[in-house]
Each structure stands twice: as structure tokens, then as C-alpha cells.
Amino acid sequence: MKLILRADVENLGNLGDVVEVKPGYGRNYLLPQGLAMVASDANLKAFELERKKLQARMDALRAEAQSMQTRLEALEVVIPMHVGDNDKLYGSVTSSIIGDALAALGVEVDRRRILMDAPIRTLGEHPVRVRLHASVIAVVPVKVISDHQPEAEEEPAPEAPAAEAEAAEAAQ
């Protein structure tokens, strides 16, 4: 089935390309989504008239995605997780958890656009890719930390006022 693409489609082509696809993919996905139109002489002429408008819309979407990319790459996403012995996570960090953490930072990203080869199962910093547009992919640094405070950090806080009190007594 020959189609004219009305938008950039990942792994298929860009706006205006005439592509050959399997009939089911064209009928069930590309045509209903408005991503393509059947390649005929009449449609080619109609598409040429509509091309500037579609190109302007695609450029606007790409520019919006690029501005979102700079915002996302500037963020530091910190996800506290419950940890067991040897700093091993109970469970794993999935795309929905990362999506919720981004939403808490004020950036709405559909969890299906978060590209992960496998869930995160270790503490530390991990780069996570987010597809914002067919040609724009942001890399967000996700830092997975333990959700409980180590005892070493809790001890100095109470001792500091005691040390100040001792210093005050010594001064008198």
C-alpha cells in the first residue's frame, strides 16, 4: 500500500515521503491517526497545497520538543527507594515511577515516552531517555537513593548542640 506521510513517523519516514507499507499498518494505524494519506494523483496535488501548513505545524512541535528537552536535561530527578542489605532495592524503578517523579517536578511526560531497556535495580545515577518527538530524545539523569537516612548522618546533629553547651560551660 503506497501512502504519503503527513507527519514524521519513526522508523518509516518524514513529512511528504511516499512510502510502501503493509495494508494492515496503513489501514489500522497510519490512516486513522491522520499520519498518512493514500498516494494518488489527486492526493499528491492536495498534499502539495497543504504541505506548508503541515510543515509549519511539524516545525512548531519540534521546537516545543527541543525546549522541553533542555528543561528535562537540566533537571535532576531523585527517586528514594526502599533498600535492603548490601544496598539492594526492594522492587525496581520503572517508567511510571520516573513519570511520577517528573510530574512532581512540574514536567508532565507520558510514561510510554520514557525509554528504558530494563527497570533500574541499583542505587546510583542512571541516564534515562525520553522521546519527546520523532527526532528529539532527551537524556534525563535519574538518581536512585535510599529512602532511609544513614545513622551516621543523624548522630552529628544532636552532638553539635551538646558541644556548644560544653563550650559555653567552659567559658563561664
Side-chain angles (χ1 to χ4, degrees):
M1 172 178 238
K2 282 191 172 246
L3 298 175
I4 306 166
L5 294 180
R6 299 183 69 211
D8 294 346
V9 179
E10 185 181 346
N11 297 327
L12 188 57
N14 295 324
L15 175 76
D17 291 350
V18 177
V19 295
E20 182 78 28
V21 296
K22 292 192 177 189
Y25 182 51
R27 273 194 318 269
N28 297 326
Y29 179 70
L30 294 173
L31 292 174
Q33 295 288 324
L35 297 174
M37 59 196 315
V38 177
S40 66
D41 290 335
N43 281 346
L44 279 170
K45 289 177 184 174
F47 176 77
E48 286 305 320
L49 296 173
E50 191 180 9
R51 178 189 280 276
K52 288 182 182 175
K53 190 170 32 167
L54 290 172
Q55 187 65 45
R57 189 176 72 200
M58 289 301 296
D59 290 342
L61 288 174
R62 188 176 296 116
E64 181 181 326
Q66 288 172 341
S67 68
M68 176 74 94
Q69 176 186 17
T70 56
R71 279 183 41 208
L72 280 175
E73 289 177 347
L75 291 176
E76 181 177 333
V77 180
V78 178
I79 299 177
M81 292 293 291
H82 190 65
V83 203
D85 295 335
N86 300 327
D87 290 337
K88 184 169 173 141
L89 294 181
Y90 286 121
S92 58
V93 178
T94 61
S95 60
S96 62
I97 293 172
I98 294 171
D100 293 342
L102 286 171
L105 292 173
V107 179
E108 289 294 325
V109 175
D110 186 10
R111 67 174 176 77
R112 292 172 292 200
R113 294 190 170 273
I114 299 172
L115 307 173
M116 298 177 67
D117 296 331
I120 299 171
R121 296 184 181 190
T122 58
L123 293 177
E125 192 162 324
H126 304 274
V128 175
R129 296 174 298 141
V130 179
R131 172 168 284 117
L132 301 170
H133 186 268
S135 62
V136 179
I137 296 177
V139 178
V140 180
V142 174
K143 187 174 185 179
V144 181
I145 62 170
S146 174
D147 64 351
H148 72 284
Q149 298 295 327
E151 294 177 16
E153 289 182 15
E154 293 177 12
E155 289 178 16
E159 291 179 278
E164 290 175 14
E166 290 175 15
E169 287 178 22
Q172 291 177 355

